[in-house]
PDB file of all heavy atoms in Angstrom:
ATOM      1  N   CYS A  19      29.666  11.841   5.625  1.00 81.00           N
ATOM      2  CA  CYS A  19      29.240  13.038   4.869  1.00 81.00           C
ATOM      3  C   CYS A  19      29.773  14.309   5.476  1.00 81.00           C
ATOM      4  O   CYS A  19      29.630  15.423   4.872  1.00 81.00           O
ATOM      5  CB  CYS A  19      27.716  13.113   4.770  1.00 81.00           C
ATOM      6  SG  CYS A  19      26.883  13.336   6.385  1.00 81.00           S
ATOM      7  N   GLU A  21      28.624  16.074   7.800  1.00 77.00           N
ATOM      8  CA  GLU A  21      27.595  16.961   8.305  1.00 77.00           C
ATOM      9  C   GLU A  21      27.280  16.667   9.759  1.00 77.00           C
ATOM     10  O   GLU A  21      27.553  15.565  10.235  1.00 77.00           O
ATOM     11  CB  GLU A  21      26.321  16.862   7.438  1.00 77.00           C
ATOM     12  CG  GLU A  21      26.514  17.328   6.032  1.00 77.00           C
ATOM     13  CD  GLU A  21      25.202  17.236   5.240  1.00 77.00           C
ATOM     14  OE1 GLU A  21      24.175  16.905   5.830  1.00 77.00           O
ATOM     15  OE2 GLU A  21      25.218  17.519   4.011  1.00 77.00           O
ATOM     16  N   HIS A  23      24.858  16.033  13.028  1.00 70.00           N
ATOM     17  CA  HIS A  23      23.554  15.398  13.290  1.00 70.00           C
ATOM     18  C   HIS A  23      23.413  15.237  14.824  1.00 70.00           C
ATOM     19  O   HIS A  23      24.383  15.206  15.542  1.00 70.00           O
ATOM     20  CB  HIS A  23      23.441  14.049  12.613  1.00 70.00           C
ATOM     21  CG  HIS A  23      23.603  14.134  11.124  1.00 70.00           C
ATOM     22  ND1 HIS A  23      22.548  14.318  10.253  1.00 70.00           N
ATOM     23  CD2 HIS A  23      24.715  14.051  10.323  1.00 70.00           C
ATOM     24  CE1 HIS A  23      23.004  14.365   9.042  1.00 70.00           C
ATOM     25  NE2 HIS A  23      24.295  14.161   9.032  1.00 70.00           N
ATOM     26  N   ALA A  55      27.729   6.402  11.773  1.00 85.00           N
ATOM     27  CA  ALA A  55      27.341   7.110  10.569  1.00 85.00           C
ATOM     28  C   ALA A  55      25.948   7.664  10.795  1.00 85.00           C
ATOM     29  O   ALA A  55      25.157   7.160  11.587  1.00 85.00           O
ATOM     30  CB  ALA A  55      27.375   6.183   9.367  1.00 85.00           C
ATOM     31  N   CYS A  56      25.595   8.721  10.069  1.00 78.00           N
ATOM     32  CA  CYS A  56      24.276   9.311  10.175  1.00 78.00           C
ATOM     33  C   CYS A  56      23.250   8.447   9.447  1.00 78.00           C
ATOM     34  O   CYS A  56      23.588   7.614   8.614  1.00 78.00           O
ATOM     35  CB  CYS A  56      24.260  10.754   9.646  1.00 78.00           C
ATOM     36  SG  CYS A  56      24.444  10.845   7.858  1.00 78.00           S
ATOM     37  N   THR A  57      21.984   8.681   9.735  1.00 66.00           N
ATOM     38  CA  THR A  57      20.923   7.879   9.114  1.00 66.00           C
ATOM     39  C   THR A  57      20.875   8.094   7.605  1.00 66.00           C
ATOM     40  O   THR A  57      20.530   7.208   6.843  1.00 66.00           O
ATOM     41  CB  THR A  57      19.566   8.224   9.744  1.00 66.00           C
ATOM     42  OG1 THR A  57      19.308   9.612   9.617  1.00 66.00           O
ATOM     43  CG2 THR A  57      19.504   7.764  11.205  1.00 66.00           C
ATOM     44  N   ARG A  58      21.165   9.315   7.151  1.00 65.00           N
ATOM     45  CA  ARG A  58      21.141   9.553   5.711  1.00 65.00           C
ATOM     46  C   ARG A  58      22.197   8.742   4.996  1.00 65.00           C
ATOM     47  O   ARG A  58      21.947   8.161   3.933  1.00 65.00           O
ATOM     48  CB  ARG A  58      21.347  11.041   5.428  1.00 65.00           C
ATOM     49  CG  ARG A  58      21.350  11.359   3.952  1.00 65.00           C
ATOM     50  CD  ARG A  58      21.344  12.826   3.646  1.00 65.00           C
ATOM     51  NE  ARG A  58      21.464  13.041   2.199  1.00 65.00           N
ATOM     52  CZ  ARG A  58      20.733  13.864   1.495  1.00 65.00           C
ATOM     53  NH1 ARG A  58      19.791  14.535   2.064  1.00 65.00           N
ATOM     54  NH2 ARG A  58      20.941  14.011   0.194  1.00 65.00           N
ATOM     55  N   CYS A  59      23.404   8.681   5.532  1.00 75.00           N
ATOM     56  CA  CYS A  59      24.447   7.907   4.928  1.00 75.00           C
ATOM     57  C   CYS A  59      24.090   6.391   4.920  1.00 75.00           C
ATOM     58  O   CYS A  59      24.394   5.655   3.994  1.00 75.00           O
ATOM     59  CB  CYS A  59      25.793   8.130   5.596  1.00 75.00           C
ATOM     60  SG  CYS A  59      26.491   9.749   5.195  1.00 75.00           S
ATOM     61  N   LEU A  60      23.441   5.954   6.003  1.00 70.00           N
ATOM     62  CA  LEU A  60      23.007   4.571   6.061  1.00 70.00           C
ATOM     63  C   LEU A  60      21.933   4.312   4.989  1.00 70.00           C
ATOM     64  O   LEU A  60      21.919   3.278   4.367  1.00 70.00           O
ATOM     65  CB  LEU A  60      22.451   4.267   7.452  1.00 70.00           C
ATOM     66  CG  LEU A  60      23.480   4.097   8.574  1.00 70.00           C
ATOM     67  CD1 LEU A  60      22.785   3.898   9.910  1.00 70.00           C
ATOM     68  CD2 LEU A  60      24.385   2.895   8.276  1.00 70.00           C
ATOM     69  N   ASP A  61      21.025   5.282   4.796  1.00 61.00           N
ATOM     70  CA  ASP A  61      20.026   5.139   3.757  1.00 61.00           C
ATOM     71  C   ASP A  61      20.674   4.971   2.390  1.00 61.00           C
ATOM     72  O   ASP A  61      20.262   4.139   1.589  1.00 61.00           O
ATOM     73  CB  ASP A  61      19.114   6.364   3.711  1.00 61.00           C
ATOM     74  CG  ASP A  61      18.268   6.530   4.979  1.00 61.00           C
ATOM     75  OD1 ASP A  61      18.216   5.582   5.766  1.00 61.00           O
ATOM     76  OD2 ASP A  61      17.737   7.642   5.195  1.00 61.00           O
ATOM     77  N   GLN A  62      21.692   5.760   2.140  1.00 66.00           N
ATOM     78  CA  GLN A  62      22.381   5.702   0.848  1.00 66.00           C
ATOM     79  C   GLN A  62      23.032   4.320   0.658  1.00 66.00           C
ATOM     80  O   GLN A  62      23.047   3.748  -0.419  1.00 66.00           O
ATOM     81  CB  GLN A  62      23.421   6.808   0.730  1.00 66.00           C
ATOM     82  CG  GLN A  62      22.851   8.220   0.820  1.00 66.00           C
ATOM     83  CD  GLN A  62      22.148   8.644  -0.453  1.00 66.00           C
ATOM     84  OE1 GLN A  62      21.898   7.820  -1.331  1.00 66.00           O
ATOM     85  NE2 GLN A  62      21.843   9.908  -0.566  1.00 66.00           N
ATOM     86  N   ALA A  63      23.595   3.801   1.764  1.00 69.00           N
ATOM     87  CA  ALA A  63      24.203   2.488   1.703  1.00 69.00           C
ATOM     88  C   ALA A  63      23.195   1.403   1.420  1.00 69.00           C
ATOM     89  O   ALA A  63      23.411   0.440   0.685  1.00 69.00           O
ATOM     90  CB  ALA A  63      24.975   2.202   3.041  1.00 69.00           C
ATOM     91  N   VAL A  81      17.187  12.268  -6.085  1.00 43.00           N
ATOM     92  CA  VAL A  81      16.507  13.549  -5.894  1.00 43.00           C
ATOM     93  C   VAL A  81      17.351  14.372  -4.963  1.00 43.00           C
ATOM     94  O   VAL A  81      17.521  14.033  -3.767  1.00 43.00           O
ATOM     95  CB  VAL A  81      15.109  13.328  -5.279  1.00 43.00           C
ATOM     96  CG1 VAL A  81      14.442  14.676  -5.109  1.00 43.00           C
ATOM     97  CG2 VAL A  81      14.259  12.476  -6.183  1.00 43.00           C
ATOM     98  N   SER A  82      17.988  15.423  -5.459  1.00 43.00           N
ATOM     99  CA  SER A  82      18.893  16.221  -4.665  1.00 43.00           C
ATOM    100  C   SER A  82      19.919  15.340  -3.938  1.00 43.00           C
ATOM    101  O   SER A  82      20.216  15.498  -2.781  1.00 43.00           O
ATOM    102  CB  SER A  82      18.106  17.041  -3.628  1.00 43.00           C
ATOM    103  OG  SER A  82      17.202  17.909  -4.270  1.00 43.00           O
ATOM    104  N   GLY A  83      20.464  14.360  -4.652  1.00 43.00           N
ATOM    105  CA  GLY A  83      21.413  13.460  -4.084  1.00 43.00           C
ATOM    106  C   GLY A  83      20.799  12.349  -3.244  1.00 43.00           C
ATOM    107  O   GLY A  83      21.522  11.577  -2.640  1.00 43.00           O
ATOM    108  N   TYR A  84      19.438  12.250  -3.249  1.00 47.00           N
ATOM    109  CA  TYR A  84      18.808  11.284  -2.382  1.00 47.00           C
ATOM    110  C   TYR A  84      18.210  10.172  -3.220  1.00 47.00           C
ATOM    111  O   TYR A  84      17.337  10.427  -4.099  1.00 47.00           O
ATOM    112  CB  TYR A  84      17.680  11.972  -1.588  1.00 47.00           C
ATOM    113  CG  TYR A  84      17.474  11.388  -0.219  1.00 47.00           C
ATOM    114  CD1 TYR A  84      18.161  11.898   0.845  1.00 47.00           C
ATOM    115  CD2 TYR A  84      16.632  10.298  -0.032  1.00 47.00           C
ATOM    116  CE1 TYR A  84      17.978  11.382   2.126  1.00 47.00           C
ATOM    117  CE2 TYR A  84      16.437   9.778   1.247  1.00 47.00           C
ATOM    118  CZ  TYR A  84      17.112  10.324   2.298  1.00 47.00           C
ATOM    119  OH  TYR A  84      16.911   9.805   3.556  1.00 47.00           O
ATOM    120  N   LYS A  85      18.653   8.959  -3.072  1.00 79.00           N
ATOM    121  CA  LYS A  85      18.166   7.816  -3.878  1.00 79.00           C
ATOM    122  C   LYS A  85      16.843   7.319  -3.361  1.00 79.00           C
ATOM    123  O   LYS A  85      16.605   7.309  -2.175  1.00 79.00           O
ATOM    124  CB  LYS A  85      19.190   6.728  -3.927  1.00 79.00           C
ATOM    125  CG  LYS A  85      20.512   7.184  -4.536  1.00 79.00           C
ATOM    126  CD  LYS A  85      21.563   6.102  -4.506  1.00 79.00           C
ATOM    127  CE  LYS A  85      22.879   6.544  -5.115  1.00 79.00           C
ATOM    128  NZ  LYS A  85      23.914   5.544  -5.050  1.00 79.00           N
TER     129      LYS A  85
END
Side-chain angles (χ1 to χ4, degrees):
C19 66
E21 295 183 5
H23 301 271
C56 70
T57 56
R58 179 172 175 133
C59 287
L60 286 175
D61 295 346
Q62 299 285 13
V81 179
S82 300
Y84 213 92
K85 298 177 181 178

